[in-house]
């Protein structure tokens, strides 16, 4: 391949040109390196729920972690500047359905530019509020004991009255057409995340605009933040507001979480308090969560929700079979008061106000 001359290796002219091309390509790659990663999770389990309407057993997707798949990648532009993208879609692993309704990349679809200034992120994404208050949930917002049951279970809560009883919790978890800013690292542990989004479809049903802010402090053992945001809904031209404070700390090996959130829509108010713990045991971890919900005020129909409160207690165990695969078991008990109708998800619909709901699930989860 090479000829030898005066104890030095040299390339024939044609091969030298090829080598030069390869060197040029390598130099270009070094200046602008890029990568694309396929990632996701498949989670399936069997859940049994009992309430005033009877018992129901079903297979559910996304109990320990939301079943999903996605693509993410980044390119190094040099000088500390990077561009990145993230596309992520829910997968209902029990039926094979992807996305949510007409939205295929329902979980996230963003394009970012980051550097020493922080990160500017565009597109559909979690709101700063959602990232904050779900950090108090040791069950990650999903499954029989996840915080999602506080917001999407029935028309008896402030969120469903604002966004519609048939809406999903993504109405407050994510927003479209968003512009976000994240502060850079190196601010002595302090951080901030701001988002603004505008309606793009005029006054179409379900259309809304949003603005919100989270500010916090984090170190190796602690994280505390405050957050506030407002959503204006075109269907009612009314504002849904959410404010709160959340914190996590480590006591020996035990992670303790706590959060307080307050939501308002028209003349109704809902206050949520959550206290959780997660501690490692062998190859797994025990998780516990307690939720207390207080409602007050009047609905749009001038019906009082005073005393429509709930206490919910969840307990679970996750056993890691490997770094990516785990088996899990969770149980949850919900006690309603007044006319509240919060439920363990996956049960029979139409429970009586003030009744209880309980359930348990076992399943298998694999990350890739």
């Amino acid at each position: 391949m090479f000829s030898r001359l005066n104890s030095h290796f040299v390339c024939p002219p044609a091969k030298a040109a090829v080598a030069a091309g390869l060197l040029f390509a390598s130099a270009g790659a070094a200046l602008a390196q890029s990568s694309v990663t396929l990632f996701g999770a498949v989670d399936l389990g069997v859940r049994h729920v009992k309430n005033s309407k009877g018992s129901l057993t079903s297979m559910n997707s996304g109990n320990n972690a939301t079943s999903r798949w996605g693509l993410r990648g980044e390119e190094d532009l040099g000088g500390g500047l990077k561009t990145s993208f993230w596309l992520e879609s829910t997968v209902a692993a029990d039926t094979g359905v992807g996305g949510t309704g007409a939205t295929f990349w329902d979980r996230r679809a963003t394009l970012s530019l980051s550097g020493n200034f922080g990160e500017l992120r565009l597109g559909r994404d979690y709101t700063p509020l959602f990232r904050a208050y779900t950090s108090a949930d040791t069950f990650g917002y999903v499954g029989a004991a996840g915080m999602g049951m506080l917001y999407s279970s029935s028309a008896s809560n402030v969120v469903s009255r604002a966004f519609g009883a048939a809406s999903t919790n993504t109405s407050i978890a994510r927003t479209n057409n968003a512009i976000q800013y994240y502060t850079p690292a190196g601010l002595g542990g302090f951080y901030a995340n701001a988002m603004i989004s505008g309606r793009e479809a005029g006054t179409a049903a379900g259309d809304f605009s949003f603005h919100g802010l989270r500010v916090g402090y984090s170190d190796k053992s602690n994280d505390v933040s405050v957050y506030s945001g407002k959503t204006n809904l075109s269907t009612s031209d009314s504002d849904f507001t959410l404010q709160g404070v959340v914190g996590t700390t480590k006591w020996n090996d035990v992670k303790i979480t706590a959060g307080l959130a307050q939501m308002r829509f028209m003349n109704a108010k809902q206050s949520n308090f959550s206290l959780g713990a997660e501690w490692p045991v062998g190859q797994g971890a025990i998780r516990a969560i307690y939720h207390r919900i207080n409602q007050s005020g009047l609905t749009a129909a001038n019906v009082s929700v005073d005393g429509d409160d709930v206490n919910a207690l969840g307990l679970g165990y996750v056993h890691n079979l490997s770094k990516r695969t785990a088996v899990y078991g969770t149980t949850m008990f919900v006690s309603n008061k007044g006319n509240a109708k919060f439920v363990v998800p996956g049960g029979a619909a139409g429970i009586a106000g003030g009744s209880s709901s309980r359930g348990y699930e076992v399943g298998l989860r694999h990350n890739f």
Side-chain angles (χ1 to χ4, degrees):
M1 179 176 181
F2 295 99
S3 62
R4 185 166 183 170
L5 179 64
N6 295 330
S7 299
H8 294 285
F9 288 101
V10 297
C11 299
K15 293 182 179 179
V18 173
L22 292 174
L23 288 173
F24 179 80
S26 298
L31 290 174
Q33 294 191 14
S34 61
S35 64
V36 176
T37 302
L38 171 68
F39 69 94
V42 181
D43 182 319
L44 283 169
V46 176
R47 184 182 304 165
H48 178 80
V49 179
K50 184 177 181 180
N51 55 42
S52 64
K53 298 293 289 186
S55 299
L56 184 62
T57 301
S58 60
M59 177 173 285
N60 291 274
S61 175
N63 305 304
N64 176 255
T66 300
S67 295
R68 63 194 184 275
W69 78 282
L71 297 169
R72 60 175 179 254
E74 69 175 27
E75 181 183 18
D76 189 342
L77 302 176
L81 198 63
K82 291 183 180 181
T83 184
S84 58
F85 75 91
W86 190 304
L87 301 172
E88 186 175 344
S89 175
T90 300
V91 176
D94 53 336
T95 62
V97 175
T100 302
T103 305
F104 183 74
W105 300 111
D106 59 325
R107 292 183 57 79
R108 182 171 166 181
T110 62
L111 184 63
S112 300
L113 187 66
S114 60
N116 295 331
F117 60 88
E119 179 185 352
L120 179 65
R121 185 181 300 178
L122 309 176
R124 176 177 173 82
D125 197 7
Y126 290 120
T127 68
L129 282 57
F130 182 83
R131 293 186 185 277
Y133 65 68
T134 55
S135 65
D137 185 4
T138 51
F139 288 89
Y141 201 77
V142 296
M147 194 182 286
M149 55 81 58
L150 303 182
Y151 306 105
S152 60
S153 58
S154 72
S156 66
N157 62 77
V158 172
V159 175
S160 58
R161 282 194 292 271
F163 294 94
S167 69
T168 66
N169 54 42
T170 57
S171 299
I172 60 170
R174 300 174 178 85
T175 184
N176 299 331
N177 311 310
I179 301 173
Q180 281 191 89
Y181 172 70
Y182 288 83
T183 52
L187 298 180
F190 291 96
Y191 62 88
N193 172 207
M195 173 188 274
I196 184 171
S197 68
R199 56 173 58 100
E200 195 173 62
T203 57
D207 188 26
F208 57 86
S209 60
F210 169 85
H211 63 267
L213 174 67
R214 177 189 186 188
V215 179
Y217 171 81
S218 179
D219 58 28
K220 292 182 179 180
S221 301
N222 308 285
D223 191 320
V224 61
S225 62
V226 294
Y227 56 90
S228 178
K230 179 185 290 186
T231 302
N232 180 262
L233 295 103
S234 64
T235 51
S236 61
D237 195 28
S238 299
D239 293 332
F240 171 88
T241 62
L242 173 61
Q243 295 88 29
V245 58
V246 64
T248 63
T249 188
K250 278 196 173 181
W251 181 62
N252 293 328
D253 291 331
V254 180
K255 179 181 178 182
I256 307 295
T257 66
L260 179 64
Q262 186 176 93
M263 294 169 280
R264 292 179 181 268
F265 179 68
M266 294 186 174
N267 297 315
K269 180 176 72 174
Q270 179 175 325
S271 298
N272 300 345
F273 170 73
S274 299
L275 179 64
E278 180 175 348
W279 58 96
V281 178
Q283 292 182 230
I286 297 174
R287 297 174 175 177
I289 194 75
Y290 168 73
H291 301 295
R292 169 67 181 176
I293 303 173
N294 292 301
Q295 297 190 93
S296 60
L298 302 173
T299 68
N302 289 323
V303 176
S304 174
V305 293
D306 291 344
D308 292 354
D309 305 329
V310 65
N311 290 291
L313 181 64
L315 184 66
Y317 175 69
V318 180
H319 184 79
N320 297 306
L321 300 176
S322 70
K323 290 183 178 180
R324 297 188 297 172
T325 303
V327 292
Y328 58 85
T330 305
T331 186
M332 183 68 164
F333 180 79
V334 178
S335 176
N336 289 296
K337 296 182 178 180
N339 195 43
K341 299 178 182 178
F342 293 85
V343 296
V344 177
I351 71 167
S355 62
S356 64
S357 174
R358 61 182 183 271
Y360 61 86
E361 66 193 6
V362 293
L364 174 69
R365 183 262 302 156
H366 175 76
N367 295 332
F368 61 88

